[in-house]
Amino acid sequence: MTSPSNLETSEQGSDNNLEAISPENSIAPMAGGVLGSRNLENEFLDELPDEVEMSLFDHLEELRQRLFYSLIAVAIAVIGCFFTVKPIVQLLEVPAGPVKFLQLAPGEYFFVSIEVAGYSGLLIATPFIFYQIALFVLPGLTRKERRLLGPVFFGSSFLFLGGLVFAYIALIPAALNFFVTYGADVVEQLWSIDKYFKFVLLLMFSTGLAFQIPILQVLLGVLGIVSSNQMLSGWRYVVLGAAVLGAVLTPSTDPLTQSLLGGAVLSLYFGGVGLVKLLGR
């Protein structure tokens, strides 16, 4: 026969076994393991893989080197564009339609060619400049920050080109059509080629810069500076800022061009809010 003490001992042993395999006891180590792996992953992402001790002089020397390479690339691109500037000028004259251009001073077209080649060369050399910037800041970035580097540079370049195309297709024709229609019955449309290209180039590049708004929003959201809800809560100020930005960046005074640019800025801003929200910020 089994004695009462043996029965108590066996019951206690079974209770201990049940406690050992209870859900609470089994979940705790699993949760600890998951949290530990997450902590290790966060530590890994926050590391500086290429951290190198450099003095201030070394940083300045590297910055000088990156600037020198960028300037060389811009100079080569500008020279190349200058020798092929005629097709670029003809392309930029297309939005003007039947308007005739005049050279009002000796050498005016020559200086316009230099200006057009300068803008075009800078645009062509922009990817190489971004590459040099990336090489300069890369050693000081963590693995988490490096993951953003490629999408930010790619998105910035894509949006800038999108701004140039939007200005060329929508803003410039709208502004020129307004001016041509307004004075059609009063004055003959003969424009200074220098004034025209200053207008076109300024409008295109200011629009390209305005299209960088979503990139700034993503950076602010990912860095935890501003959340998507905070961005959305200030929509009234954004509407006012878009109107002011459209008036400042647009070299013309017609309301149609300013409204188009302001509307594009609003669309980009709210699109950036949606993108930040998709990123969980």
Side-chain angles (χ1 to χ4, degrees):
M1 294 179 62
T2 305
S3 62
S5 61
N6 292 336
L7 287 173
E8 292 176 359
T9 304
S10 62
E11 290 176 357
Q12 292 175 357
S14 62
D15 291 340
N16 292 334
N17 291 334
L18 289 174
E19 291 177 359
I21 62 173
S22 63
E24 292 81 359
N25 292 337
S26 59
I27 290 175
M30 292 174 59
V34 172
L35 291 175
S37 62
R38 287 181 179 177
N39 290 333
L40 289 175
E41 182 180 359
N42 290 333
E43 290 178 3
F44 177 76
L45 293 176
D46 291 335
E47 289 179 353
L48 297 172
D50 298 330
E51 186 177 10
V52 179
E53 291 292 336
M54 295 178 65
S55 64
L56 178 61
F57 178 78
D58 293 333
H59 282 293
L60 293 176
E61 178 62 24
E62 184 178 2
L63 178 61
R64 185 193 66 80
Q65 184 179 5
R66 301 301 174 194
L67 288 174
F68 177 74
Y69 290 155
S70 300
L71 290 175
I72 291 296
V74 171
I76 293 174
V78 168
I79 292 172
C81 290
F82 181 76
F83 285 108
T84 58
V85 73
K86 188 175 180 179
I88 302 174
V89 169
Q90 291 172 341
L91 179 66
L92 294 176
E93 287 178 346
V94 170
V99 173
K100 295 181 182 286
F101 296 100
L102 297 177
Q103 181 173 245
L104 302 179
E108 186 174 358
Y109 174 69
F110 174 77
F111 292 110
V112 167
S113 301
I114 294 177
E115 189 174 0
V116 171
Y119 277 100
S120 303
L122 182 61
L123 178 62
I124 293 173
T126 297
F128 184 79
I129 296 173
F130 281 165
Y131 176 68
Q132 293 299 316
I133 294 173
L135 291 179
F136 179 73
V137 302
L138 198 63
L141 297 179
T142 63
R143 289 187 174 90
K144 184 185 297 184
E145 293 168 340
R146 290 185 180 196
R147 291 181 177 182
L148 296 173
L149 197 62
V152 164
F153 280 142
F154 177 77
S156 178
S157 303
F158 178 78
L159 287 173
F160 187 78
L161 290 175
L164 297 182
V165 173
F166 177 76
Y168 183 80
I169 294 176
L171 293 184
I172 295 174
L176 297 181
N177 182 65
F178 173 83
F179 291 130
V180 170
T181 305
Y182 183 78
D185 300 331
V186 181
V187 295
E188 187 178 357
Q189 303 297 328
L190 299 173
W191 294 350
S192 164
I193 191 170
D194 179 55
K195 300 294 185 183
Y196 172 78
F197 276 97
K198 277 184 170 55
F199 170 82
V200 168
L201 295 174
L202 179 60
L203 183 56
M204 290 181 68
F205 274 82
S206 60
T207 306
L209 292 177
F211 269 54
Q212 302 300 305
I213 291 174
I215 299 298
L216 296 177
Q217 290 176 270
V218 169
L219 289 176
L220 292 175
V222 171
L223 295 176
I225 299 175
V226 183
S227 66
S228 58
N229 292 330
Q230 290 174 325
M231 294 178 187
L232 196 58
S233 63
W235 66 270
R236 295 178 182 84
Y237 302 102
V238 174
V239 173
L240 178 61
V244 173
L245 198 64
V248 172
L249 294 182
T250 306
S252 64
T253 56
D254 65 291
L256 179 58
T257 309
Q258 296 178 6
S259 300
L260 285 173
L261 184 56
V265 168
L266 283 178
S267 301
L268 289 167
Y269 182 84
F270 289 114
V273 172
L275 188 58
V276 173
K277 202 168 190 63
L278 285 176
L279 295 174
R281 301 292 181 174

